[in-house]
Amino acid sequence: MYPLSAIAATNIPMQKRVYIETYGCQMNEHDSERILRLLEGSDYLETKDAQEADFILINTCSVREKPEHKVYSALGRYRWLKEKRGVIIGVAGCVAQQEGERILSKFPLLDFVVGPQKIHHLNEILGEVEGGRRRVCEIGFEDNVSANTILPHSTQHRAFVTIMQGCDNFCSYCIVPYVRGRERSRPSHTIISEIEALVQKGTKEVILLGQNVNSYAKNDPHELTFLQLLAKINEIQGLERIRFTTSHPRDFTEEFIESFAGLRRLCEHIHLPFQAGSNTVLRRMKRGYTKEEYLAKVIKLREVVPNASITSDVMVGFPGEKERDFAQTLDLMRAVQFDGLYSFKYSPRKGTGAARWRDDIPAEIKQRRLEILQEFQRGITLRKNKALESDVLEVLVEGCSRNSPREMMGRTRCNRIVNFPGGDDLVGESVKVKIEVGLTNSLRGELCYKEEKIC
Ligand code: 5AD
Ligand code: SF4
C-alpha cells in the first residue's frame, strides 16, 4: 500500500476494497472465492471490514429460508453506508437469480443483482455501475459451463472445481433446479486441465463440486462417466487428494462403490444426504430411494472401504411428518452411525412441489425434533472421534488454527479437522499426526514425523 501523502502527490488511485458476505452452501462459498479472484483482476482487494469497503457484495443461497432472510437484513444494515459514502452494493447467488428485478425495485439502494451463472460478467457489471450508467440485473442460465472457470492467482492447497451445475432431480422441497437450472456437465478435458493447472500452482487436494456428481454427463454418450473422470484425475501427478460432493443416493451405484477402493487419491469420505428415514416421507420428497436401499448402499460402502467416513443431510418437519416418521429418521441414524450430519428444519420454497402442501408441522415441534436429532448425532460424532484417539492419521495442513497462532489446522482423509502444535512451514504439507483427544467438532493431536512427507 502507498502512504496517503504519496497518493496525493502522484495521483495514484487509492486501492478499491470489496467486502463479500456469504451465506448458505459450499457452492456459494466457492462462488465467493471465484468472485474475489475475478475482482483482483480489476483493482479490488478484499477487506474483512464492511465499514471500509467501496463495494459490498452479498452472496446468498435460497435453498433454505434462513440464508434468504439474511440478505434482506444485510441490505438494511448497509443502507447508511450507501447514503453516507455511496458504496456500491450488489446481490449475487440463488436469491439474485430467483428475485431478479423484484429485489432491485424493492431496494432502491441496490446497484445490481447477478445470478450464479453470470458471475464471470461481474467486472463489466461493475464498470456500468461505477460509470453511473444504470442499475443492472444480470440473471439467467449459461450453456457454457466452462465460462465460469477462473484460476487463482496464488497457491490454494485445497481447491474447489465445479464439474457440473444445476440439477434435474426436482426433489419436492428443493429450489435448486429452479435457480441453478438443469444439469449441465463441463467437458472432462477442461476439468482435467484446470486441475493440472491448479496442481502446477501447488494444489494438493481438489474437491469436485456438483449438485449430483454421480450423474456427471449422464446424457452424453461421448463423454466420460463420473467414475472414468475420477480415474483420470487420479492419474494427475502431484495431486494428493480427491474429494467430491454431493452424491445422490439413487445414483451412488454398487459399481461405483466397488471401484472406489481402487482409486488411491480418492479420500475415504462420502457425503450422502438421506433427508429422512421414513419411506412415506422419502416418497413425498421424491427422492427415488427407500431407507432399505439407502442402508444397503452404506453397508456395501463399509464393506469395500471399511474406514470410510459417511456424512449426510437430513430434514425435520417436512409436511405431514408424523412422530413415527421422525422416529424412523432416528432409527436410520442409529443404524448408519454417521460421522457427521447437517440437519435442517424444513421451510417451504416458493415454486417447489412441496410448497403446495400446508407447512403443517408447528415451529416448536420442528425445533424439538431438530434438537433431539442433533443431540443424538453429537453423541455418535463424539464417540467416533474418541475412537480415533492414539491413531496416527495423515493430515494435510491448511493453515493456522483458529484457536492459536502456534497451532496448525489440517484435515484427515476422512475430512476431520485436526489441530496440533506446529509452525506455518507445514502449510500445504501432508504430515502424520497422533490423535490425542477426540472432540465433537474436531480432533487434537501431536505431530509425529515432521520430516516425513506422505504422497
Ligand atoms: N427446507 C429445509 N432444508 C432444505 N434443504 C433443501 N431444501 C430445503 C428446504 N426447503 C436442505 C437439504 C439439502 C441441503 C443442502 O439443504 O437437506 O440436502
Ligand atoms: Fe435439490 Fe434434490 Fe437436486 Fe439435491 S438432488 S439439488 S435436493 S433437487
Side-chain angles (χ1 to χ4, degrees):
M1 286 292 292
Y2 301 98
L4 277 176
S5 54
I7 292 167
T10 58
N11 272 341
I12 293 169
M14 283 261 268
Q15 183 72 63
K16 294 183 286 185
R17 303 210 167 248
V18 56
Y19 172 76
I20 304 190
E21 204 159 294
T22 311
Y23 300 112
C25 57
Q26 209 166 31
M27 209 56 115
N28 246 33
E29 278 167 31
H30 176 47
D31 282 349
S32 289
E33 233 174 62
R34 290 166 48 221
I35 289 170
L36 273 178
R37 283 187 242 145
L38 254 181
L39 292 172
E40 278 170 25
S42 87
D43 294 339
Y44 276 96
L45 269 191
E46 186 186 14
T47 172
K48 299 279 184 202
D49 180 3
Q51 311 301 323
E52 64 168 32
D54 303 286
F55 165 31
I56 295 176
L57 186 68
I58 303 154
N59 187 16
T60 313
C61 152
S62 59
V63 169
R64 292 178 299 277
E65 195 175 25
K66 212 160 146 192
E68 184 182 339
H69 282 169
K70 285 186 176 163
V71 76
Y72 301 117
S73 63
L75 285 172
R77 212 164 49 245
Y78 297 132
R79 198 167 86 193
W80 72 276
L81 281 175
K82 178 80 179 172
E83 285 160 1
K84 195 168 140 218
R85 294 200 288 103
V87 291
I88 295 173
I89 301 184
V91 169
C94 298
V95 172
Q97 178 71 28
Q98 189 181 276
E99 295 301 312
E101 295 279 359
R102 269 199 302 271
I103 189 168
L104 272 184
S105 47
K106 210 147 102 193
F107 293 92
L109 81 159
L110 195 57
D111 293 293
F112 70 87
V113 291
V114 58
Q117 291 187 37
K118 298 286 182 179
I119 283 169
H120 55 288
H121 294 305
L122 192 57
N123 285 322
E124 292 137 61
I125 297 173
L126 271 175
E128 295 222 12
V129 171
E130 283 172 338
R133 284 194 285 278
R134 64 183 180 105
R135 299 170 79 209
V136 181
C137 178
E138 184 79 52
I139 56 175
F141 301 118
E142 293 263 334
D143 287 336
N144 180 5
V145 218
S146 292
N148 286 310
T149 307
I150 304 151
L151 277 182
H153 297 294
S154 55
T155 305
Q156 276 188 330
H157 299 294
R158 189 166 180 267
F160 292 96
V161 174
T162 303
I163 65 163
M164 63 192 304
Q165 293 180 346
C167 184
D168 287 349
N169 282 322
F170 291 91
C171 300
S172 63
Y173 52 81
C174 184
I175 194 80
V176 167
Y178 305 94
V179 288
R180 296 248 172 191
R182 307 301 293 266
E183 250 172 58
R184 293 163 323 281
S185 296
R186 277 179 69 190
S188 54
H189 67 273
T190 67
I191 298 171
I192 291 163
S193 51
E194 180 178 343
I195 298 175
E196 283 169 345
L198 284 164
V199 171
Q200 288 274 313
K201 281 174 171 277
T203 295
K204 303 281 175 63
E205 174 175 320
V206 287
I207 302 117
L208 309 177
L209 284 184
Q211 304 293 348
N212 187 13
V213 288
N214 292 77
S215 73
Y216 171 79
K218 67 169 189 249
N219 296 324
D220 184 353
H222 306 295
E223 189 44 282
L224 303 179
T225 62
F226 182 52
L227 201 48
Q228 290 164 335
L229 176 68
L230 284 175
K232 285 247 182 235
I233 298 172
N234 192 57
E235 285 163 16
I236 296 176
Q237 288 307 312
L239 182 66
E240 290 179 18
R241 292 177 169 189
I242 308 167
R243 301 183 192 279
F244 53 82
T245 191
T246 296
S247 290
H248 189 297
R250 191 200 48 219
D251 301 322
F252 194 72
T253 59
E254 285 221 354
E255 183 206 356
F256 183 82
I257 297 172
E258 272 157 13
S259 312
F260 198 99
L263 299 170
R264 192 171 64 90
R265 295 188 164 100
L266 204 52
C267 290
E268 296 78 14
H269 169 225
I270 291 292
H271 186 65
L272 199 62
F274 77 104
Q275 311 297 2
S278 145
N279 287 339
T280 319
V281 174
L282 284 171
R283 201 173 321 113
R284 293 183 32 256
M285 286 179 164
K286 287 183 52 197
R287 288 293 287 173
Y289 54 84
T290 61
K291 70 171 173 216
E292 290 80 9
E293 284 162 349
Y294 183 92
L295 200 51
K297 293 189 190 209
V298 167
I299 291 169
K300 176 85 193 170
L301 179 63
R302 292 226 164 103
E303 247 169 57
V304 178
V305 192
N307 58 343
S309 90
I310 304 177
T311 57
S312 196
D313 293 349
V314 62
M315 247 181 276
V316 295
F318 189 73
E321 184 189 66
K322 306 272 183 297
E323 281 300 326
R324 63 171 180 275
D325 296 314
F326 174 61
Q328 289 177 33
T329 290
L330 296 177
D331 288 345
L332 192 58
M333 288 168 61
R334 194 174 295 112
V336 175
Q337 299 281 306
F338 291 106
D339 294 79
L341 192 61
Y342 299 92
S343 44
F344 310 103
K345 290 185 273 188
Y346 166 77
S347 55
R349 306 283 65 208
K350 228 177 6 206
T352 61
R356 292 196 305 266
W357 301 323
R358 202 160 61 81
D359 182 17
D360 60 348
I361 310 297
E364 57 285 4
I365 293 186
K366 283 185 187 169
Q367 183 61 29
R368 184 178 53 81
R369 288 182 187 166
L370 189 75
E371 283 168 15
I372 293 173
L373 184 152
Q374 289 179 337
E375 183 59 32
F376 186 43
Q377 182 58 40
R378 254 194 302 277
I380 298 174
T381 311
L382 183 61
R383 188 185 51 73
K384 290 202 144 199
N385 285 351
K386 285 213 161 297
L388 293 171
E389 289 175 0
S390 303
D391 282 7
V392 174
L393 301 180
E394 179 198 295
V395 173
L396 179 59
V397 185
E398 289 177 24
C400 273
S401 137
R402 263 196 274 171
N403 313 333
S404 148
R406 283 188 301 278
E407 285 199 351
M408 301 312 288
M409 183 282 272
R411 229 171 266 262
T412 64
R413 285 178 60 96
C414 57
N415 212 31
R416 287 181 168 87
I417 303 266
V418 183
N419 293 299
F420 62 96
D424 56 12
D425 55 317
L426 296 175
V427 173
E429 299 289 320
S430 283
V431 295
K432 283 187 176 173
V433 175
K434 181 164 186 198
I435 305 307
E436 314 240 286
V437 192
L439 306 162
T440 325
N441 296 317
S442 63
L443 307 170
R444 286 192 54 76
E446 284 290 334
L447 192 59
C448 293
Y449 312 112
K450 190 171 173 181
E451 299 314 318
E452 186 164 348
K453 234 183 119 176
I454 306 157
C455 283

